[in-house]
């Protein structure tokens, strides 16, 4: 069985999905303020590396833990839900199957406890 990373299109597919994802996030007024002081080129690269890693691709993420990354942001369930929706919509827009999109979202949902209310 192929790794989820490969099913998402490998490195190129993840990069494309992350670009689409941040386009949607930055257009969302309930989320974009969290990135007001963020170097988005660096953020994009870190997100690609993180997703690649959690989707069984290359282990290249060297950023902080999810607890540390989101410390002080006070993200709430509605923010996580909006992020999840944008990721789902981005993967779908990139041609990822519903089954593989659900598998990716399942991996992301397991991080909720490390992200919310920090």
């Amino acid at each position: 069985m192929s790794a989820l990373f490969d099913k998402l299109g490998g490195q190129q597919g993840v990069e494309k999905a992350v670009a689409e994802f941040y386009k949607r996030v930055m257009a969302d007024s309930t989320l974009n303020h969290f990135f007001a002081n963020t170097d988005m080129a660096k953020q994009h690269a870190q997100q690609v590396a993180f997703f690649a890693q959690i989707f069984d691709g290359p282990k290249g993420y060297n950023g902080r833990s999810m607890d540390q990354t989101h410390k002080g942001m006070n993200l709430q369930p509605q923010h996580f839900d909006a992020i999840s929706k944008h990721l789902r919509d981005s993967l779908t827009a990139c041609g990822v199957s519903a089954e593989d999109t659900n598998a990716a979202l399942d991996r992301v949902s397991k991080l909720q406890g490390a992200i919310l209310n920090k």
Side-chain angles (χ1 to χ4, degrees):
M1 180 161 196
S2 190
L4 181 57
F5 177 76
D6 295 326
K7 291 178 179 181
L8 299 177
Q11 188 70 25
Q12 184 177 6
V14 172
E15 287 178 8
K16 183 179 174 185
V18 169
E20 181 66 25
F21 170 72
Y22 278 118
K23 183 174 82 175
R24 292 168 187 266
V25 167
M26 296 309 287
D28 184 335
S29 64
T30 69
L31 298 173
N32 60 14
H33 63 280
F34 291 113
F35 299 94
N37 299 311
T38 301
D39 176 341
M40 290 308 293
K42 181 180 176 185
Q43 179 69 23
H44 177 94
Q46 285 285 77
Q47 193 69 60
V48 168
F50 183 73
F51 279 163
Q53 186 164 304
I54 68 167
F55 299 150
D56 301 325
K59 308 294 183 218
Y61 178 72
N62 59 6
R64 297 176 295 176
S65 71
M66 290 299 98
D67 286 314
Q68 284 296 90
T69 297
H70 298 95
K71 187 176 183 179
M73 294 179 72
N74 195 31
L75 293 168
Q76 298 299 308
Q78 65 269 22
H79 301 123
F80 192 87
D81 292 346
I83 288 288
S84 295
K85 180 186 181 315
H86 291 311
L87 180 56
R88 177 178 298 283
D89 293 347
S90 297
L91 291 170
T92 300
C94 290
V96 175
S97 73
E99 178 182 0
D100 294 335
T101 296
N102 288 339
L105 268 289
D106 183 58
R107 305 256 179 118
V108 170
S109 72
K110 292 177 180 166
L111 302 168
Q112 188 171 2
I115 293 172
L116 296 184
N117 304 308
K118 303 296 176 200

